[in-house]
Amino acid sequence: MEMHPRVLDYAVPDLDGVIADEAELTAGVRIRPGRSYGFFTDTTLCIGCKACEVACKEWNNLPADGIGLTGHSYDNTTALSADTWRHVKFVETGVRDDAAQPFQSGWLMLSDVCKHCHNAPCLEACPTGALFRTEFDTVVVQQDICNGCGYCVPACPFGVVDISLLDGKAHKCTLCYDRLKGGLEPACAKACPTNSIQFGELGELQESAQRREAELHRRGVAGAYIYGAPGTPGATGGLEHLNAFFLLTAPPETYNLPRAPTRPANRVVPSLAAGLATVLGLAVAALSLFTRQT
């Protein structure tokens, strides 16, 4: 296994404090303000262990939910929520038969998370400024400013943001904003045992995703494609690109992802124009009726 040279500086397990720029050791990236960071999630490497879910809950002190089986899937949490900021989807695609290739299963798995959109609709919809873009190009909710209006919930085309029943405020993934400020890799990516969740600078992640896509095509996985990078499905409707993007092998709808998400802001002008046209039409009709009667 290839190790970063700085690992030799910390050969003793007992340390006096936090390792400076630890993400350089764990993810090969040095975190600096003013740069864009995100996640590249390779679904072909996900084994459904849910280590990312547990790490997210532990670091962010989120309560357990979805205790027990739902009857719909082996997945107990079922969806992202105010208490689940990372969610591993279990998508059953068919019953495996004896003719299937060895070591192949009838399951697709995806660790879903907030996409931290480049043009974030939730941020645009927030009337209080509770949602803001950080110095790492991620989107975070400030609960002390959030008034619980819920405008961000329908604005998100991916159904990520949720209002907590405990405090009435909006909650979602912060891409471990507090860890980034300390030079630490996000908890979910650090806990992933297969490197399905990769953290880093956005440009480098996009290049890595393109290489992985080409590699899978060479191996015969013709259906592999990137979702959320510039010019790909998921980066549509004015979103431009997602800071948390994916490599998929089935249509987006299979993973409960929209094929062509859009910003609600794009529909404001057409909707306003349609409303004004309707009002004008009603006014003309009323005036016509009035003149006939007189």
Side-chain angles (χ1 to χ4, degrees), residues 36-216:
S36 296
Y37 296 92
F39 292 124
F40 163 47
T41 302
D42 184 348
T43 64
T44 65
L45 298 177
C46 182
I47 57 175
C49 67
K50 287 184 176 281
C52 54
E53 275 194 35
V54 175
C56 178
K57 282 184 175 290
E58 286 186 341
W59 178 261
N60 294 291
N61 197 28
L62 299 173
D65 60 344
I67 306 290
L69 296 177
T70 64
H72 302 291
S73 169
Y74 288 115
D75 165 32
N76 61 312
T77 44
T78 70
L80 294 171
S81 69
D83 296 329
T84 299
W85 298 354
R86 264 281 180 189
H87 169 237
V88 179
K89 297 180 179 180
F90 285 52
V91 182
E92 191 168 12
T93 59
V95 178
R96 191 183 188 283
D97 55 35
D98 293 337
Q101 296 181 7
F103 309 111
Q104 302 299 311
S105 74
W107 292 90
L108 296 173
M109 295 173 183
L110 176 145
S111 182
D112 198 13
V113 71
C114 172
K115 315 307 181 288
H116 295 272
C117 309
H118 179 68
N119 290 325
C122 60
L123 192 153
E124 295 174 334
C126 180
T128 65
L131 278 145
F132 74 103
R133 188 168 297 280
T134 73
E135 63 270 33
F136 306 112
D137 197 26
T138 58
V139 180
V140 173
V141 185
Q142 301 172 94
Q143 270 74 41
D144 58 334
I145 299 177
C146 177
N147 65 0
C149 68
Y151 291 169
C152 54
V153 176
C156 176
F158 302 99
V160 169
V161 192
D162 189 30
I163 301 297
S164 171
L165 297 178
L166 298 177
D167 63 5
K169 307 295 183 68
H171 294 264
K172 71 172 192 67
C173 161
T174 67
L175 217 147
C176 280
Y177 181 42
D178 50 351
R179 290 178 65 89
L180 296 188
K181 289 191 289 185
L184 304 175
E185 180 182 8
C188 58
K190 187 173 181 178
C192 181
T194 63
N195 207 29
S196 171
I197 304 170
Q198 300 174 30
F199 165 77
E201 287 196 45
L202 205 56
E204 295 178 0
L205 290 178
Q206 291 167 354
E207 292 176 2
S208 175
Q210 291 172 355
R211 290 194 297 270
R212 177 61 174 170
E213 181 186 30
E215 177 189 355
L216 288 172

Side-chain angles (χ1 to χ4, degrees), residues 274-293:
L276 291 174
T278 302
V279 171
L280 180 61
L282 291 174
V284 170
L287 180 62
S288 174
L289 182 61
F290 178 76
T291 53
R292 286 181 184 176
Q293 291 177 347

Side-chain angles (χ1 to χ4, degrees), residues 206 209-210 226-236 240-246:
Q206 291 167 354
Q210 291 172 355
I226 300 171
Y227 180 94
T232 66
T236 55
E240 292 196 14
H241 64 261
L242 311 179
N243 282 24
F245 61 101
F246 306 85

